[in-house]
């Protein structure tokens, strides 16, 4: 441990890696091998469409009063699907709250995500079975979890890795810096995958940092940093795969900045017209990640009406399952708040549990907890 790499060799290109052009043309690259055939690309298309359909359904359900809040990932499907595609099912994911696409690749039941946005007490507990930690609303706390999990796996001689998702806004939190510094020093197998979607609620990325890019911050930690076109699913996959392979082989962490755009407001509670400059949405709509992949698939005769319909049918079935699942969510006992926090509960827990129960009973009447 402790070998230092010359900073000059770590400085990332400011121009993001792009393999799939907005025109749909796909380039080979010696530096970023892709090993994806047409069937893989159709499968990635399917997961991106599934993500977009579920995302829209979540927003609709929120509008109908079924969910408390939703943070849409529309526009970020390529960054999420491509990066998650580079991982295997035993690798850990530590998401922020906008990572529906990564979860879809892992094959999670979307009803679990619906439960989270419905604000039932268990949040995204069920995702832990699939090695996805809770959707994290306190931004950047998940970065510390990622480094801790990664370091633990390294000490146990496991060769799984952690992909840590966070946003450009989260890079301003101390937790993100501590996590990246610690991971680099101890060569923890973590991929820090920042989706730079241009905005942290109403704060533009230009007001978030004076760095040339977010990827450039990697130089100071002594780890490789890469900027990638986050609307290019092939490049997102390729650069993440390279980082995953390095981490799995004991080469430590990587910082990836996926340059993308949040097409919806920050959440369903936000009014983006208050801060989004005129024309910005239209500019990014031209770079839509799904349209781009479709252009390519058409150009290699891997896409037609039948493919489109088959995928649309699967997406319709998945959204119907989500909608039905939302109705079936049982109310949860509020005292579950205390479960799964400590292996051995501290003595004041029983007292606090009883206090909460008494307060709820006083407000709602016995039995309505
Ligand atoms: C620790 C903490 N501080 C502040 C907030 C309030 N907050 C919620 S979302 C957000 C911006 C996050 O921006 P970014 O990380 O870029 O993610 P995005 O929402 O754009 O995906 C902030 C500051 C929070 N949730 N947690």
């Amino acid at each position: 441990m402790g070998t230092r790499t010359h900073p000059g060799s770590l400085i990332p290109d400011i121009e993001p890696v792009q393999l799939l052009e907005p025109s749909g043309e796909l380039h080979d690259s010696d530096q970023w091998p892709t090993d994806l055939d047409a069937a893989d690309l159709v499968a990635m298309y399917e997961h991106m469409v599934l993500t977009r359909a579920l995302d829209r359904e979540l927003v609709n359900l929120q509008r109908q009063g079924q969910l408390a809040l939703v943070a849409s990932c529309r526009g970020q499907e390529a960054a999420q699907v491509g990066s998650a595609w580079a991982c295997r099912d035993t690798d850990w994911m530590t998401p922020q709250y906008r990572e529906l696409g990564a979860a879809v690749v892992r094959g999670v039941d979307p009803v679990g995500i619906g439960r989270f946005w419905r604000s039932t007490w268990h949040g995204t507990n069920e995702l832990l079975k699939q090695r996805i930690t809770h959707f994290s609303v306190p931004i950047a706390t998940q970065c510390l979890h990622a480094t801790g999990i990664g370091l633990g796996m390294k000490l146990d001689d496991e060769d799984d890795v952690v992909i840590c998702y966070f946003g450009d806004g989260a890079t301003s939190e101390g937790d993100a810096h501590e996590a990246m510094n610690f991971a680099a020093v101890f060569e923890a197998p973590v991929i820090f995958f920042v989706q730079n979607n241009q905005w942290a609620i109403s704060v533009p990325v230009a007001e978030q940092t004076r760095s040339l890019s977010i990827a450039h911050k990697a130089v100071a930690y002594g780890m490789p940093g890469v900027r990638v076109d986050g609307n290019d699913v092939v490049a997102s996959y390729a650069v993440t795969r390279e980082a995953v392979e390095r981490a799995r082989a004991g080469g430590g962490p990587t910082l990836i900045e996926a340059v993308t755009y949040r097409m919806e407001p920050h959440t369903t509670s936000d009014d983006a017209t208050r801060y989004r400059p005129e024309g910005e949405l239209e500019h990014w709509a031209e770079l839509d990640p799904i349209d781009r992949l479709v252009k390519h698939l058409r150009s290699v005769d891997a896409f037609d009406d039948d493919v489109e319909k088959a995928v649309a049918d699967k997406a319709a079935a998945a959204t119907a399952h989500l909608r039905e699942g939302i109705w079936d969510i049982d109310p949860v006992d509020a005292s579950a708040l205390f479960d799964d926090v400590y292996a051995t509960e501290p003595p004041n827990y029983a007292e606090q549990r009883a206090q909460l129960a008494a307060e709820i009973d006083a407000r709602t009447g016995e039995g309505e907890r």
Side-chain angles (χ1 to χ4, degrees):
M1 200 204 294
T3 321
R4 285 183 169 76
T5 311
H6 191 278
S9 68
L10 291 175
I11 293 176
D13 285 335
I14 189 74
E15 204 53 51
V17 177
Q18 185 184 78
L19 300 175
L20 184 60
E21 287 190 30
S23 66
E25 193 178 340
L26 182 63
H27 297 286
D28 285 335
S29 161
D30 292 336
Q31 194 185 355
W32 309 107
T34 59
D35 75 346
L36 298 169
D37 60 20
D40 295 320
L41 293 176
V42 170
M44 288 166 117
Y45 160 78
E46 180 181 322
H47 284 76
M48 288 164 74
V49 169
L50 210 56
T51 301
R52 188 164 290 188
L54 289 166
D55 187 80
R56 193 177 46 224
E57 190 68 18
L58 287 168
V59 172
N60 290 345
L61 286 163
Q62 194 282 334
R63 293 289 180 238
Q64 291 160 19
Q66 291 302 321
L67 306 177
L69 181 82
V70 169
S72 162
C73 71
R74 187 162 70 87
Q76 299 181 216
E77 295 90 348
Q80 297 186 10
V81 169
S83 56
W85 212 267
C87 301
R88 63 188 188 199
D89 283 355
T90 51
D91 291 332
W92 278 89
M93 288 181 175
T94 60
Q96 198 152 284
Y97 41 69
R98 207 183 286 286
E99 272 72 55
L100 175 66
V104 164
V105 171
R106 190 53 66 86
V108 306
D109 185 341
V111 176
I113 312 276
R115 283 201 174 102
F116 167 71
W117 292 119
R118 197 171 166 101
S119 298
T120 57
W121 287 100
H122 287 308
T124 41
N125 249 359
E126 52 258 64
L127 302 188
L128 288 171
K129 291 196 281 288
Q130 284 159 289
R131 294 205 160 187
I132 305 178
T133 56
H134 294 87
F135 272 30
S136 181
V137 171
I139 56 176
T141 52
Q142 76 275 18
C143 303
L144 298 170
H145 303 158
T147 297
I149 294 169
L151 195 55
M153 292 196 303
K154 184 183 159 120
L155 293 173
D156 286 344
D157 267 338
E158 291 171 20
D159 72 345
D160 293 316
V161 306
V162 187
I163 184 157
C164 174
Y165 289 101
F166 53 126
D168 42 293
T171 65
S172 293
E173 293 283 345
D175 283 357
H177 298 283
E178 291 165 35
M180 288 194 274
N181 187 56
F182 205 83
V185 168
F186 292 99
E187 296 174 321
V190 184
I191 290 83
F192 293 100
F193 193 93
V194 176
Q195 289 167 83
N196 171 2
N197 65 11
Q198 312 303 322
W199 294 93
I201 315 184
S202 57
V203 177
V205 72
E207 286 175 33
Q208 195 70 246
T209 180
R210 290 294 291 268
S211 282
L212 194 54
S213 79
I214 288 168
H216 280 78
K217 292 174 190 286
V219 180
Y221 300 116
M223 66 168 91
V226 189
R227 287 196 106 201
V228 63
D229 180 340
N231 286 16
D232 171 349
V233 72
V234 180
S236 292
Y237 165 76
V239 303
T240 312
R241 204 192 81 171
E242 197 247 8
V244 165
E245 281 176 5
R246 180 171 38 252
R248 225 186 275 301
T254 301
L255 173 59
I256 297 173
E257 175 189 2
V259 182
T260 182
Y261 192 72
R262 151 167 76 66
M263 296 298 288
E264 292 283 322
H266 173 69
T267 65
T268 44
S269 301
D270 173 47
D271 176 6
T273 62
R274 304 272 297 269
Y275 54 83
R276 192 184 264 162
E278 211 177 304
E280 192 177 77
L281 198 60
E282 293 72 15
H283 166 74
W284 284 92
E286 294 280 310
L287 301 170
D288 185 279
I290 298 183
D291 292 351
R292 188 185 304 196
L293 183 54
V294 167
K295 278 186 207 159
H296 171 70
L297 292 174
R298 277 195 202 284
S299 75
V300 294
D301 286 333
F303 191 87
D304 56 22
D305 291 351
D306 291 345
V307 173
E308 188 171 25
K309 179 164 184 331
V311 170
D313 287 349
K314 281 189 192 172
T319 54
H321 168 72
L322 167 63
R323 178 171 285 276
E324 282 157 22
I326 294 293
W327 305 123
D328 289 342
I329 295 174
D330 291 328
V332 178
D333 190 328
S335 70
L337 178 68
F338 296 97
D339 296 345
D340 303 320
V341 181
Y342 292 101
T344 310
E345 287 196 356
N348 57 347
Y349 246 47
E351 196 185 317
Q352 289 180 16
R353 213 187 272 272
Q355 192 180 355
L356 177 68
E359 277 181 29
I360 291 174
D361 286 346
R363 285 185 198 189
T364 62
E366 197 77 42
E368 288 181 39
R369 209 176 308 152

